């Protein structure tokens, strides 16, 4: 009995410390912590994301007002909707050569070779070992860890933002940034350079470049990178016929942040026949852009192999199951007037957002809700309203068929209010929630039962 009890406690502790916490289905898709610089990889049919982990610097912890990172988490998903946080995999205190007062574990990458997973990360070296940022490697048997850091960083590499690419012939390449973008071949062991570092030729001469991410499609090598052309970073790309370059500048993948987040950082993957761009923005910290959050949106190619510009969305990607909470504040479209979003709790932004409808007939649209073939009888709406009012729920478009009306009573409390639904068609639909006449209603989520 005692043994059984201890086993249960151990199991519980294992679950807690594995960090198996579900995150979010929309953008940003990690909302239990700040995250940045997302390198996405597909391993064994699952998407793994290796981001930086921003924390807030304070006296005695990093440099106040600047980037501050002490460890890395890994996240994964089989559907880009349900994300699992696998917890901390590498931390500055557990790597011999890293200065554990530097909080400088910037953008990482991970790649698989012969069944082993190689996690590359930049960090500042301990005094006496060298100056500035070096690039270390930690190795695991599984993408989610556990990772064992190598005792020394890679020799002859000084810089940040490591990126790995293995070509069809098995040759591995390491890219990194240090004002310019550099490349070198790696030896079979993935731990040592097999060629001298060289500057990647053909990228913009003027303006900071960092965050290289190289991928190949149809024999074209796409070198993607954040670049400061004007005021802040935008995502650009250049193409070539060799992983070492030279490359030819082609265009912009994502414009500068409209709200001034200074950095952006990308990775691009193909998953289940669709291409995706992973990037970041400072959604959870609008006033301080060194505490960022990772996002994902679909990416499309033109027939000539060029990349169409990606417009950042709150909705993100993939279908949302009608049974689950539909975070309607991560909308696809809103009416020109009377619809806006705000944090539920401005002192704890990790609580997420709400949408406010406050002028006659204002509406919010959330695309791609999957009703399948199931029968739904009711809709639940988590709402709060000072004035009270009625919500109309429609399908497909702002003047589409009405499937429910939900009466929200006045009062300061948040309540989950239920109403009957009718004329609900099976399949995938856009969902529209609108204010019937006037009022002021705040909404957190809706779901069907
Ligand atoms: O996250 C710190 C730095 O900001 C990264 O290394 C850069 O790519 C930029 O995103």
């Amino acid at each position: 009995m005692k043994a059984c009890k201890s086993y249960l406690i151990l199991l519980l502790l294992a679950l807690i410390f594995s960090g198996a916490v579900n995150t979010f289905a929309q953008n940003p898709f990690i909302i239990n912590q700040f995250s940045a610089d997302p390198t996405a990889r597909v391993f064994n049919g699952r998407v793994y994301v290796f981001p930086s982990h921003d924390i807030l610097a304070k006296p005695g912890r990093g440099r106040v007002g600047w980037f501050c990172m002490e460890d890395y988490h890994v996240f994964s998903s089989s559907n880009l909707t349900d994300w699992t946080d696998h917890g901390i995999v590498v931390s500055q205190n557990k790597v011999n050569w890293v200065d554990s007062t530097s909080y400088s574990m910037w953008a990482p990458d991970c790649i698989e070779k012969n069944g082993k997973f190689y996690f590359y990360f930049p960090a500042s070296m301990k005094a006496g070992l060298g100056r500035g940022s070096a690039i270390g490697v930690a190795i695991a048997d599984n993408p989610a860890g556990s990772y064992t850091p190598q005792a020394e960083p890679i020799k002859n590499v000084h810089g940040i933002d490591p990126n790995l690419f293995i070509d069809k012939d098995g040759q591995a390449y390491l890219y990194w940034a240090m004002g310019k973008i550099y490349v070198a071949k790696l030896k079979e062991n993935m731990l040592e350079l097999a060629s001298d570092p060289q500057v990647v030729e053909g990228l913009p001469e003027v303006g900071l470049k960092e965050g290289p991410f190289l991928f190949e499609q149809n024999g074209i090598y796409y070198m993607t990178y954040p670049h400061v052309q004007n005021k802040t970073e935008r995502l650009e790309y250049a193409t070539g016929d060799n992983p070492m370059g030279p490359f030819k500048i082609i265009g912009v993948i994502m414009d500068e942040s409209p709200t001034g987040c200074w950095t952006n950082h990308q990775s691009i993957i193909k998953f289940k026949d669709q291409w995706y761009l992973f990037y970041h923005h400072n959604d959870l910290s609008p006033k301080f852009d060194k505490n960022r959050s990772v996002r994902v949106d679909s990416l499309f190619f033109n027939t000539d192999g060029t990349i169409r510009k990606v417009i950042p969305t709150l909705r993100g990607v993939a279908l949302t199951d009608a049974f689950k909470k539909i975070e309607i504040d991560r909308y696809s479209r809103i009416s020109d007037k009377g619809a806006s979003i705000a944090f539920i709790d401005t002192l704890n932004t990790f609580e997420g957002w709400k949408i406010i409808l406050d002028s006659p007939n204002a509406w919010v649209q959330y695309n791609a809700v999957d009703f399948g073939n199931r029968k739904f009888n009711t809709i639940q709406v988590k709402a709060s309203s000072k004035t009270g009012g009625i919500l109309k729920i429609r399908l497909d478009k702002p003047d589409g068929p009405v499937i429910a009306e939900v009466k929200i009573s006045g009062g300061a409390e948040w309540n989950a209010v239920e109403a009957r639904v009718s004329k609900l068609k099976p399949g995938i639909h856009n969902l529209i929630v609108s204010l019937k006449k006037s009022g002021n209603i705040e909404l957190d989520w809706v779901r069907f039962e």
Side-chain angles (χ1 to χ4, degrees), residues 79 93 188 196 223 244 326 345 360 378 386 405:
N79 57 9
N93 303 324
E188 269 296 301
D196 286 337
M223 166 56 75
M244 308 229 3
I326 301 163
D345 179 352
T378 56
K386 287 182 216 119
E405 289 202 2

Side-chain angles (χ1 to χ4, degrees), residues 22-33 35 38 40 47-49 51 75-77 80-84 277-279 283 293-297 314 316-317 330 353:
N22 279 334
T23 45
F24 210 52
Q26 298 84 22
N27 280 333
F29 65 90
I30 296 174
I31 62 160
N32 62 353
Q33 60 194 261
S35 55
V47 176
Y48 287 83
V49 174
F75 300 81
S76 76
S77 174
L80 299 176
T81 291
D82 302 301
W83 290 93
T84 299
L277 172 73
F278 288 74
Y279 62 102
D283 299 80
S293 295
V294 296
R295 291 172 162 214
V296 54
D297 275 304
L314 298 178
V317 297
R330 307 290 85 197
W353 296 264

Side-chain angles (χ1 to χ4, degrees), residues 36-37 52 54 67 69 106-107 160-161 210-211 226 233 263-265 280 292:
D37 310 323
S52 306
D54 288 345
F67 300 108
M69 296 92 137
W106 289 17
I160 57 167
D161 296 356
E210 52 183 0
E233 289 182 341
T263 62
N264 199 350
H265 189 117
H280 70 224
R292 300 152 295 175

Side-chain angles (χ1 to χ4, degrees), residues 61-76:
R61 184 170 92 173
R63 177 173 146 202
V64 175
W66 191 236
F67 300 108
C68 183
M69 296 92 137
E70 68 176 331
D71 56 34
Y72 297 101
H73 286 233
V74 174
F75 300 81
S76 76

Side-chain angles (χ1 to χ4, degrees), residues 164-335:
L164 280 297
F165 174 71
I166 301 181
D167 207 356
K168 290 187 220 78
D169 62 3
Q171 176 63 55
Y173 298 84
L174 173 67
Y175 303 84
W176 68 95
M178 199 14 77
K180 298 177 175 180
I181 291 176
Y182 295 83
V183 59
K185 289 183 180 172
L186 279 178
K187 289 189 183 166
E188 269 296 301
N189 64 11
M190 301 295 281
L191 303 171
E192 293 169 281
L193 297 192
S195 70
D196 286 337
Q198 69 181 58
V199 172
V200 172
E201 300 290 341
L203 305 184
E205 292 291 332
V206 182
L208 178 77
K209 296 170 292 297
E210 52 183 0
F213 182 88
L214 186 118
F215 69 98
E216 181 268 344
Q217 195 201 193
N218 299 330
I220 302 174
Y221 296 87
Y222 293 80
M223 166 56 75
T224 68
Y225 50 91
H227 171 227
V228 183
Q229 172 70 28
N230 300 307
K231 285 190 174 153
T232 61
E233 289 182 341
R234 65 183 194 187
L235 304 180
E236 300 179 7
Y237 75 108
T239 60
D241 56 14
N242 188 302
M244 308 229 3
F247 293 93
K248 180 170 174 264
I249 298 168
I250 304 293
V252 176
I253 304 173
M254 180 172 278
D255 285 327
E256 289 182 5
S257 152
T259 55
C261 182
W262 204 92
T263 62
N264 199 350
H265 189 117
Q266 76 301 338
S267 61
I268 293 173
I269 56 163
K270 190 177 189 185
F271 179 61
K272 297 185 181 162
D273 292 329
Q274 172 64 51
W275 288 89
Y276 295 99
L277 172 73
F278 288 74
Y279 62 102
H280 70 224
H281 199 250
N282 57 330
D283 299 80
L284 291 167
S285 171
K287 293 192 180 136
F288 180 56
D289 68 355
K290 309 289 178 288
N291 280 174
R292 300 152 295 175
S293 295
V294 296
R295 291 172 162 214
V296 54
D297 275 304
S298 301
L299 176 142
F300 299 91
F301 287 88
N302 295 309
T303 45
D304 63 359
T306 53
I307 298 175
R308 283 194 219 156
K309 218 183 241 186
V310 178
I311 308 296
T313 76
L314 298 178
R315 171 64 185 83
V317 297
L319 300 176
T320 300
D321 195 319
F323 268 123
K324 292 191 178 159
K325 284 180 185 165
I326 301 163
E327 299 286 348
I328 197 101
D329 48 76
R330 307 290 85 197
Y331 59 80
S332 308
R333 289 170 66 205
I334 48 175
S335 51

